[in-house]
Amino acid sequence: MNYRHSFHAGNSADVVKHALLIALVRALQIKESALTLIDTHAGCGIYDLHGDAAQRTGEAAQGVVRAFADANPLLDDYRAAVRSVNAGEEPLLYPGSPRFLSQLLRAQDALILNEKHPEDALALRDAMRGTPAAVHQRDAYELWLAMVPPKTPRGVVVVDPPYEQADERDRIATTLAAAHRKWAHGVTVIWYPLKDRAAHARWKEKLRRLGIPKFLNVEHWLYDADQPGIYNGAGLFIVNPPYAFTQDLLPLLEALRTALAPEGHKGTLKAEWLVR
C-alpha cells in the first residue's frame, strides 16, 4: 500500500494522528524534564491542500475540513495548530507531524527529523527553517536505533512510514524490538493504515508476541462495514503512553469519531491494551 504523505495530507488519519500526538506530548510535558521528539519518516513538513497531489485524492474534505466544521472544544488544540500555518480561518495549508511537534517544543526540548526521499528532505528543510529542528536524510530504521536512548531524560519516537515496501511491517517489528531493548521506558508511536482486516490482525499478533509491556492500540475504522479494496481507516500503536494521556483519551476519541464519521456511518474509534 502506497501512502505518500502529500496525497493524503489533512485526511481523517492525519486528524486522529495529530490530535493524539498533541495530547500525548502535552501529557508528557506535565513533568519539567526535557523531551527529545524524533520523527523517523518526517515527510515534507507542510502540504498545500490545493496542490495537485492533495487535490487528486480530495481526502482533506473528509478530515481537517470536518474537524474545522465541528464545534467540540476537545478539538480546539488541534484546530489551533493547523491555523498557525494558515493566514485565514480556512485551512489552505496542512502541517505535517514535524510542524505539529515543533509547535509543542519547550526551551528544554529537542526535535530530530528524518526524511530519506531527496525531494521531500529538501522540502522539509525549507519548511522547518527558523525552528530548532535537526533534519537528517537517512534510512529511517537505522536512525531510529541510532537515536535511542536520546540525550534527554525522556523522549518520543514517531514512526509514520508510507508502507510502500512489502517488508515495512516486518522492519517495524524488528526495529521496535531492538529499540525497546536499548530504551525500555521510551515512548514510541507507530502509525499504520487499515485496509485489510485479516492482514492487520496477523501483524498485530506479531507485535503482541514481542511481549513489550504497556503497549496501547488505537484503531479508527471509518465505516460500519469493511469497504473492500479501499482505505478503511488508520491506527496507532503507542508504547509506554503516559498515565495522564490514557486517562483523558476516551472523550477525545469520541469527539474525533463524531467529527470524522462519513455520511451514513458511525464508524469506530477505540483504544485497547495490546499488552499490559
Side-chain angles (χ1 to χ4, degrees):
M1 182 172 186
N2 186 319
Y3 201 97
R4 283 287 299 279
H5 290 79
S6 55
F7 288 93
H8 308 283
N11 73 354
S12 61
D14 267 357
V15 177
V16 174
K17 172 177 61 183
H18 293 138
L20 295 188
L21 270 181
I22 291 170
L24 176 73
V25 173
R26 288 204 167 144
L28 288 166
Q29 288 174 333
I30 292 172
K31 296 181 179 179
E32 286 298 318
S33 59
L35 286 170
T36 296
L37 308 178
I38 302 168
D39 191 338
T40 62
H41 299 75
C44 297
I46 196 163
Y47 303 92
D48 181 1
L49 295 180
H50 287 254
D52 290 342
Q55 286 292 302
R56 194 179 304 178
T57 62
E59 291 180 8
Q62 305 304 316
V64 62
V65 174
R66 284 183 177 270
F68 267 58
D70 192 273
N72 195 313
L74 292 177
L75 303 184
D76 284 350
D77 287 347
Y78 167 79
R79 287 187 286 258
V82 176
R83 287 192 181 103
S84 73
V85 302
N86 286 279
E89 284 292 307
E90 182 186 356
L92 303 178
L93 298 174
Y94 191 82
S97 297
R99 289 296 296 259
F100 276 96
L101 294 174
S102 69
Q103 293 181 44
L104 296 167
L105 292 176
R106 304 167 298 178
Q108 65 268 40
D109 297 332
L111 178 58
I112 298 172
L113 306 174
N114 180 68
E115 176 52 52
K116 187 178 181 181
H117 191 285
E119 292 180 6
D120 290 359
L122 187 63
L124 177 64
R125 293 181 190 277
D126 185 56
M128 302 311 293
R129 189 173 291 119
T131 75
V135 179
H136 296 255
Q137 189 177 346
R138 299 170 57 180
D139 177 84
Y141 300 101
E142 292 174 3
L143 176 122
W144 181 358
L145 280 180
M147 292 295 171
V148 298
K151 295 178 181 178
T152 56
R154 300 177 301 139
V156 180
V157 175
V158 179
V159 183
D160 183 9
Y163 292 90
E164 293 176 319
Q165 304 300 322
D167 66 345
E168 199 88 67
R169 287 171 172 80
D170 290 336
R171 292 196 73 188
I172 288 172
T174 300
T175 309
L176 175 61
H180 187 73
R181 288 193 292 270
K182 292 180 66 178
W183 191 42
H185 67 279
V187 179
T188 304
V189 179
I190 300 168
W191 178 90
Y192 58 88
L194 288 166
K195 188 176 181 182
D196 183 285
R197 196 179 292 265
H200 175 62
R202 290 193 295 271
W203 187 44
K204 186 189 291 190
E205 182 57 31
K206 182 172 185 175
L207 292 176
R208 192 195 315 274
R209 289 199 301 267
L210 295 178
I212 296 173
K214 287 194 71 178
F215 204 161
L216 186 69
N217 183 208
V218 177
E219 283 190 3
H220 180 207
W221 294 91
L222 282 166
Y223 306 103
D224 297 338
D226 289 0
Q227 308 297 305
I230 69 167
Y231 166 79
N232 278 275
L236 296 170
F237 291 113
I238 307 175
V239 177
N240 292 325
Y243 178 77
F245 171 76
T246 58
Q247 285 298 102
D248 295 336
L249 182 57
L250 292 184
L252 177 56
L253 293 183
E254 179 58 20
L256 288 164
R257 185 201 63 77
T258 302
L260 299 171
E263 297 296 334
H265 296 267
K266 292 183 178 180
T268 58
L269 216 173
K270 62 181 182 179
E272 62 180 1
W273 290 104
L274 192 67
V275 178
R276 187 174 185 180

